[in-house]
Each structure stands twice: as structure tokens, then as C-alpha cells.
């Protein structure tokens, strides 16, 4: 089922993040495919804020994965530099797929 969420401006991000979370539920893997600079990390930051994450949220470009604790644990991946499954495996990605967190993956 397709669901469209329209974000009119930056002040609308928390509303959109809340609506998005209602649709996906907990213990979900979400992949964001978009060009660099399109707002993937900005939207993930709003989602984390809605989930009660109080730590600063930033791009995991260099760390590959950032972990945040909120109402639901959030694991935020940037796989831009991942070239193959061996690279992905070395990040511990498959260990995070235990069903106890929400995984956001940026491409």
C-alpha cells in the first residue's frame, strides 16, 4: 500500500516524522534512496526527536552506523561507501537485524 507524506517546510518535519512512524511501526528496516543533500539525515533527525532521542543526531557517513536510544532504539546507517556484502557484514549490520530496533539506512 502506497502512502504519501508531504512535507511543506522544515517546521512540518516533526508532524511528518510522527505520521511516518505510525505507518511503519517499531522493529522495522527503512531504506532512504535519494541524492546527497536531499534531507535523508534531516528527516531521520526528526524521527529520532519524535522517538525521544536526546543525543545529537548526525550523518553516519564516516562511522557507517550511529546508535541512538529513545522510545525505540534507532540504528542509523549510511552505506554510501559500502561496496559489497562483505563490507556490509563487517559493519555488524546483520547483528542489528535482531528485531529490537528501527534501522534507517541511507543510500
Amino acid at each position: 500500500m502506497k502512502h504519501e507524506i508531504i512535507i511543506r517546510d522544515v517546521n512540518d518535519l516533526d508532524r511528518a516524522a510522527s505520521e511516518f512512524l505510525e505507518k511503519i511501526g517499531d522493529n522495522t528496516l527503512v531504506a532512504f534512496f535519494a541524492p546527497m543533500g536531499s534531507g535523508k539525515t534531516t528527516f531521520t533527525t526528526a524521527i529520532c526527536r519524535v522517538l525521544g532521542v536526546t543525543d545529537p543526531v548526525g550523518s553516519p557517513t564516516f562511522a557507517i552506523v550511529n546508535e541512538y536510544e529513545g522510545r525505540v532504539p534507532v540504528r542509523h546507517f549510511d552505506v554510501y561507501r559500502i561496496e559489497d556484502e562483505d563490507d556490509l557484514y563487517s559493519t555488524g549490520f546483520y547483528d542489528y537485524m535482531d528485531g529490537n530496533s528501527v534501522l534507517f539506512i541511507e543510500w
Side-chain angles (χ1 to χ4, degrees):
M1 178 171 148
K2 181 179 176 183
H3 183 79
E4 186 174 286
I5 298 172
I6 297 172
I7 302 170
R8 303 212 183 279
D9 62 41
V10 71
N11 297 316
D12 201 25
L13 281 171
D14 286 0
R15 186 233 13 113
S18 293
E19 187 177 335
F20 182 76
L21 286 167
E22 287 175 19
K23 296 298 176 190
I24 67 166
D26 297 341
N27 306 322
T28 302
L29 184 147
V30 176
F32 294 113
F33 296 95
M36 269 199 325
S38 62
K40 298 177 298 289
T41 298
T42 301
F43 190 58
T44 301
T45 300
I47 291 169
C48 287
R49 189 170 41 249
V50 168
L51 288 173
V53 172
T54 57
D55 292 330
V57 176
S59 174
T61 300
F62 297 105
I64 306 295
V65 62
N66 291 339
E67 300 181 27
Y68 305 107
E69 298 304 321
R71 178 179 56 81
V72 176
V74 176
R75 309 307 180 224
H76 182 199
F77 284 83
D78 187 332
V79 296
Y80 176 74
R81 295 182 294 137
I82 301 297
E83 295 185 15
D84 56 31
E85 189 171 2
D86 288 337
D87 285 352
L88 186 61
Y89 183 81
S90 71
T91 69
F93 177 78
Y94 295 105
D95 295 331
Y96 289 103
M97 295 184 66
D98 61 6
N100 295 321
S101 59
V102 178
L103 278 66
F104 294 108
I105 303 167
E106 295 185 19
W107 259 278

